[in-house]
Short mmCIF file of all heavy atoms in Angstrom, two decimals:
data_model
loop_
_atom_site.label_atom_id
_atom_site.label_comp_id
_atom_site.label_asym_id
_atom_site.label_seq_id
_atom_site.Cartn_x
_atom_site.Cartn_y
_atom_site.Cartn_z
N ALA A 92 31.22 0.30 -22.46
CA ALA A 92 30.58 0.91 -21.28
C ALA A 92 30.12 -0.08 -20.22
O ALA A 92 30.37 0.09 -19.04
CB ALA A 92 29.41 1.82 -21.73
N ILE A 95 33.27 -1.59 -18.61
CA ILE A 95 33.90 -0.64 -17.67
C ILE A 95 33.01 -0.47 -16.44
O ILE A 95 33.53 -0.50 -15.30
CB ILE A 95 34.07 0.76 -18.34
CG1 ILE A 95 35.17 0.68 -19.44
CG2 ILE A 95 34.43 1.83 -17.33
CD1 ILE A 95 35.28 1.86 -20.30
N HIS A 96 31.73 -0.43 -16.62
CA HIS A 96 30.82 -0.30 -15.48
C HIS A 96 30.90 -1.58 -14.64
O HIS A 96 30.91 -1.46 -13.35
CB HIS A 96 29.38 -0.13 -15.98
CG HIS A 96 28.44 0.33 -14.90
ND1 HIS A 96 27.69 -0.61 -14.17
CD2 HIS A 96 28.06 1.52 -14.40
CE1 HIS A 96 26.95 0.05 -13.29
NE2 HIS A 96 27.23 1.32 -13.43
N TYR A 99 34.70 -1.28 -13.02
CA TYR A 99 35.14 -0.09 -12.34
C TYR A 99 33.99 0.77 -11.80
O TYR A 99 34.28 1.79 -11.12
CB TYR A 99 36.05 0.75 -13.23
CG TYR A 99 37.23 -0.03 -13.83
CD1 TYR A 99 37.42 -0.05 -15.22
CD2 TYR A 99 38.08 -0.72 -12.98
CE1 TYR A 99 38.48 -0.73 -15.76
CE2 TYR A 99 39.19 -1.41 -13.54
CZ TYR A 99 39.39 -1.42 -14.92
OH TYR A 99 40.38 -2.12 -15.50
N GLY A 100 32.76 0.39 -12.10
CA GLY A 100 31.63 1.22 -11.63
C GLY A 100 31.58 2.50 -12.42
O GLY A 100 32.02 2.59 -13.58
N ASP A 101 31.01 3.58 -11.79
CA ASP A 101 30.95 4.85 -12.52
C ASP A 101 31.61 6.00 -11.70
O ASP A 101 31.39 7.19 -11.98
CB ASP A 101 29.47 5.21 -12.79
CG ASP A 101 28.62 5.37 -11.56
OD1 ASP A 101 29.17 5.28 -10.38
OD2 ASP A 101 27.38 5.58 -11.69
N ASP A 102 32.40 5.63 -10.70
CA ASP A 102 33.05 6.64 -9.90
C ASP A 102 34.41 7.05 -10.58
O ASP A 102 35.50 6.79 -10.04
CB ASP A 102 33.32 6.10 -8.46
CG ASP A 102 33.88 7.22 -7.54
OD1 ASP A 102 33.78 8.40 -7.90
OD2 ASP A 102 34.50 6.85 -6.53
N PHE A 103 34.30 7.61 -11.74
CA PHE A 103 35.47 8.22 -12.41
C PHE A 103 35.01 9.39 -13.25
O PHE A 103 33.80 9.52 -13.54
CB PHE A 103 36.25 7.18 -13.21
CG PHE A 103 35.50 6.61 -14.38
CD1 PHE A 103 35.77 7.05 -15.67
CD2 PHE A 103 34.56 5.63 -14.29
CE1 PHE A 103 35.14 6.55 -16.79
CE2 PHE A 103 33.86 5.13 -15.37
CZ PHE A 103 34.17 5.55 -16.61
N ASP A 104 35.93 10.21 -13.68
CA ASP A 104 35.56 11.48 -14.31
C ASP A 104 35.92 11.54 -15.84
O ASP A 104 35.22 12.19 -16.59
CB ASP A 104 36.31 12.64 -13.61
CG ASP A 104 36.13 12.58 -12.10
OD1 ASP A 104 35.04 12.93 -11.65
OD2 ASP A 104 37.07 12.22 -11.39
N VAL A 105 37.01 10.87 -16.20
CA VAL A 105 37.52 11.04 -17.55
C VAL A 105 37.84 9.65 -18.15
O VAL A 105 38.37 8.77 -17.45
CB VAL A 105 38.85 11.87 -17.56
CG1 VAL A 105 39.40 11.96 -18.93
CG2 VAL A 105 38.56 13.26 -16.98
N LEU A 106 37.47 9.48 -19.42
CA LEU A 106 37.86 8.28 -20.19
C LEU A 106 38.92 8.73 -21.15
O LEU A 106 38.71 9.54 -22.02
CB LEU A 106 36.63 7.71 -20.89
CG LEU A 106 36.84 6.34 -21.58
CD1 LEU A 106 37.23 5.30 -20.60
CD2 LEU A 106 35.56 5.98 -22.32
N PHE A 107 40.12 8.17 -21.00
CA PHE A 107 41.27 8.58 -21.87
C PHE A 107 41.51 7.54 -22.91
O PHE A 107 41.80 6.39 -22.60
CB PHE A 107 42.50 8.74 -20.98
CG PHE A 107 43.64 9.38 -21.74
CD1 PHE A 107 43.88 10.74 -21.71
CD2 PHE A 107 44.51 8.59 -22.44
CE1 PHE A 107 44.98 11.31 -22.39
CE2 PHE A 107 45.61 9.16 -23.13
CZ PHE A 107 45.82 10.52 -23.09
N SER A 117 36.97 6.25 -27.14
CA SER A 117 36.60 7.02 -25.95
C SER A 117 35.34 7.83 -26.22
O SER A 117 34.44 7.91 -25.33
CB SER A 117 37.76 7.95 -25.52
OG SER A 117 38.09 8.87 -26.54
N VAL A 118 35.21 8.37 -27.39
CA VAL A 118 34.00 9.18 -27.72
C VAL A 118 32.76 8.29 -27.72
O VAL A 118 31.77 8.65 -27.05
CB VAL A 118 34.19 9.88 -29.09
CG1 VAL A 118 32.86 10.56 -29.49
CG2 VAL A 118 35.31 10.93 -29.01
N ALA A 119 32.86 7.16 -28.43
CA ALA A 119 31.67 6.27 -28.46
C ALA A 119 31.26 5.74 -27.09
O ALA A 119 30.07 5.64 -26.78
CB ALA A 119 31.97 5.08 -29.43
N THR A 120 32.27 5.53 -26.26
CA THR A 120 32.00 4.97 -24.94
C THR A 120 31.41 5.97 -23.94
O THR A 120 30.52 5.56 -23.18
CB THR A 120 33.24 4.30 -24.36
OG1 THR A 120 33.71 3.30 -25.28
CG2 THR A 120 32.95 3.55 -23.00
N VAL A 121 31.87 7.22 -24.01
CA VAL A 121 31.24 8.24 -23.12
C VAL A 121 29.82 8.47 -23.47
O VAL A 121 28.91 8.71 -22.61
CB VAL A 121 32.07 9.49 -23.01
CG1 VAL A 121 33.41 9.25 -22.38
CG2 VAL A 121 32.19 10.20 -24.35
N VAL A 122 29.52 8.43 -24.74
CA VAL A 122 28.14 8.57 -25.26
C VAL A 122 27.28 7.39 -24.70
O VAL A 122 26.16 7.60 -24.21
CB VAL A 122 28.04 8.64 -26.76
CG1 VAL A 122 26.61 8.57 -27.23
CG2 VAL A 122 28.72 9.90 -27.29
N ALA A 123 27.80 6.20 -24.81
CA ALA A 123 27.10 5.02 -24.37
C ALA A 123 26.91 5.07 -22.82
O ALA A 123 25.88 4.65 -22.28
CB ALA A 123 27.82 3.74 -24.78
N PHE A 124 27.94 5.53 -22.11
CA PHE A 124 27.84 5.61 -20.67
C PHE A 124 26.67 6.51 -20.25
O PHE A 124 25.94 6.27 -19.26
CB PHE A 124 29.15 6.14 -20.11
CG PHE A 124 29.65 5.36 -18.89
CD1 PHE A 124 30.51 4.29 -19.02
CD2 PHE A 124 29.15 5.68 -17.63
CE1 PHE A 124 30.95 3.55 -17.96
CE2 PHE A 124 29.55 4.95 -16.48
CZ PHE A 124 30.49 3.87 -16.66
N ASP A 125 26.56 7.62 -20.97
CA ASP A 125 25.43 8.58 -20.64
C ASP A 125 24.10 7.88 -20.94
O ASP A 125 23.15 7.99 -20.17
CB ASP A 125 25.61 9.84 -21.49
CG ASP A 125 24.42 10.78 -21.28
OD1 ASP A 125 24.20 11.20 -20.18
OD2 ASP A 125 23.76 11.09 -22.33
N GLU A 126 24.01 7.15 -22.09
CA GLU A 126 22.75 6.52 -22.46
C GLU A 126 22.39 5.42 -21.51
O GLU A 126 21.21 5.22 -21.11
CB GLU A 126 22.86 6.03 -23.91
CG GLU A 126 22.97 7.04 -24.96
CD GLU A 126 23.14 6.47 -26.33
OE1 GLU A 126 23.53 5.28 -26.43
OE2 GLU A 126 22.95 7.18 -27.31
N TYR A 128 23.81 4.60 -18.33
CA TYR A 128 23.88 4.81 -16.89
C TYR A 128 23.60 6.24 -16.43
O TYR A 128 23.60 6.52 -15.24
CB TYR A 128 25.28 4.38 -16.39
CG TYR A 128 25.62 2.96 -16.82
CD1 TYR A 128 26.58 2.74 -17.79
CD2 TYR A 128 24.97 1.87 -16.24
CE1 TYR A 128 26.89 1.44 -18.21
CE2 TYR A 128 25.24 0.58 -16.65
CZ TYR A 128 26.23 0.35 -17.67
OH TYR A 128 26.49 -0.90 -17.96
N GLY A 129 23.28 7.17 -17.39
CA GLY A 129 23.00 8.48 -17.01
C GLY A 129 24.13 9.23 -16.32
O GLY A 129 23.89 10.14 -15.54
N LYS A 130 25.36 8.82 -16.61
CA LYS A 130 26.54 9.42 -15.98
C LYS A 130 27.36 10.16 -17.00
O LYS A 130 27.72 9.62 -18.06
CB LYS A 130 27.35 8.34 -15.27
CG LYS A 130 28.65 8.91 -14.64
CD LYS A 130 28.32 9.69 -13.38
CE LYS A 130 29.62 10.26 -12.75
NZ LYS A 130 30.45 9.28 -12.05
N GLU A 131 27.64 11.43 -16.74
CA GLU A 131 28.43 12.27 -17.64
C GLU A 131 29.90 12.00 -17.36
O GLU A 131 30.46 12.28 -16.29
CB GLU A 131 28.18 13.79 -17.34
CG GLU A 131 26.80 14.23 -17.91
CD GLU A 131 26.83 14.50 -19.41
OE1 GLU A 131 27.81 14.09 -20.07
OE2 GLU A 131 25.87 15.13 -19.89
N ILE A 132 30.58 11.37 -18.32
CA ILE A 132 32.02 11.12 -18.30
C ILE A 132 32.69 11.95 -19.38
O ILE A 132 32.18 11.96 -20.49
CB ILE A 132 32.31 9.62 -18.47
CG1 ILE A 132 31.59 8.78 -17.44
CG2 ILE A 132 33.88 9.39 -18.45
CD1 ILE A 132 32.05 8.94 -16.03
N ARG A 133 33.75 12.64 -19.07
CA ARG A 133 34.39 13.51 -20.06
C ARG A 133 35.41 12.59 -20.83
O ARG A 133 35.98 11.67 -20.32
CB ARG A 133 35.20 14.58 -19.41
CG ARG A 133 34.27 15.57 -18.74
CD ARG A 133 34.82 16.39 -17.65
NE ARG A 133 36.28 16.55 -17.51
CZ ARG A 133 36.90 16.40 -16.34
NH1 ARG A 133 36.22 16.08 -15.25
NH2 ARG A 133 38.18 16.53 -16.24
N TYR A 134 35.55 12.89 -22.13
CA TYR A 134 36.54 12.16 -22.93
C TYR A 134 37.80 12.97 -23.10
O TYR A 134 37.79 14.20 -23.16
CB TYR A 134 35.96 11.69 -24.29
CG TYR A 134 36.34 12.59 -25.45
CD1 TYR A 134 37.52 12.33 -26.19
CD2 TYR A 134 35.64 13.74 -25.81
CE1 TYR A 134 37.89 13.16 -27.22
CE2 TYR A 134 36.01 14.53 -26.81
CZ TYR A 134 37.15 14.29 -27.52
OH TYR A 134 37.49 15.08 -28.55
N CYS A 135 38.92 12.29 -23.20
CA CYS A 135 40.20 12.96 -23.46
C CYS A 135 41.09 12.05 -24.21
O CYS A 135 41.08 10.82 -24.03
CB CYS A 135 40.88 13.37 -22.08
SG CYS A 135 42.45 14.24 -22.27
N SER A 153 38.55 16.94 -23.28
CA SER A 153 38.55 17.56 -21.97
C SER A 153 39.94 17.65 -21.31
O SER A 153 40.72 16.69 -21.43
CB SER A 153 37.66 16.77 -21.00
OG SER A 153 37.76 17.24 -19.63
N LYS A 160 39.65 11.25 -11.60
CA LYS A 160 39.84 9.79 -11.65
C LYS A 160 39.67 9.40 -13.15
O LYS A 160 38.70 9.78 -13.80
CB LYS A 160 38.83 9.08 -10.82
CG LYS A 160 38.96 9.38 -9.35
CD LYS A 160 37.89 8.65 -8.50
CE LYS A 160 37.95 8.98 -7.02
NZ LYS A 160 36.86 8.33 -6.28
N VAL A 161 40.63 8.66 -13.63
CA VAL A 161 40.72 8.38 -15.11
C VAL A 161 40.67 6.88 -15.36
O VAL A 161 41.34 6.06 -14.71
CB VAL A 161 41.99 9.01 -15.67
CG1 VAL A 161 42.11 8.70 -17.20
CG2 VAL A 161 42.05 10.47 -15.39
N VAL A 162 39.90 6.47 -16.39
CA VAL A 162 39.95 5.12 -16.91
C VAL A 162 40.56 5.25 -18.34
O VAL A 162 40.16 6.10 -19.11
CB VAL A 162 38.59 4.46 -17.00
CG1 VAL A 162 38.63 3.15 -17.78
CG2 VAL A 162 38.03 4.19 -15.57
N ILE A 163 41.54 4.39 -18.67
CA ILE A 163 42.14 4.37 -19.98
C ILE A 163 41.45 3.30 -20.80
O ILE A 163 41.11 2.20 -20.36
CB ILE A 163 43.65 4.07 -19.87
CG1 ILE A 163 44.34 5.04 -19.00
CG2 ILE A 163 44.30 4.08 -21.29
CD1 ILE A 163 45.81 4.68 -18.66
N ILE A 164 41.22 3.61 -22.11
CA ILE A 164 40.52 2.70 -23.01
C ILE A 164 41.41 2.47 -24.24
O ILE A 164 41.94 3.42 -24.78
CB ILE A 164 39.12 3.20 -23.38
CG1 ILE A 164 38.37 2.21 -24.23
CG2 ILE A 164 39.24 4.57 -24.10
CD1 ILE A 164 36.94 2.65 -24.53
#
Side-chain angles (χ1 to χ4, degrees):
I95 290 171
H96 192 269
Y99 305 126
D101 63 4
D102 185 20
F103 67 100
D104 310 287
V105 178
L106 187 61
F107 188 94
S117 60
V118 172
T120 304
V121 295
V122 171
F124 225 94
D125 177 58
E126 292 177 343
Y128 305 109
K130 179 71 183 286
E131 288 279 14
I132 303 294
R133 296 159 14 229
Y134 99 90
C135 181
S153 171
K160 297 177 182 178
V161 180
V162 171
I163 303 171
I164 183 172

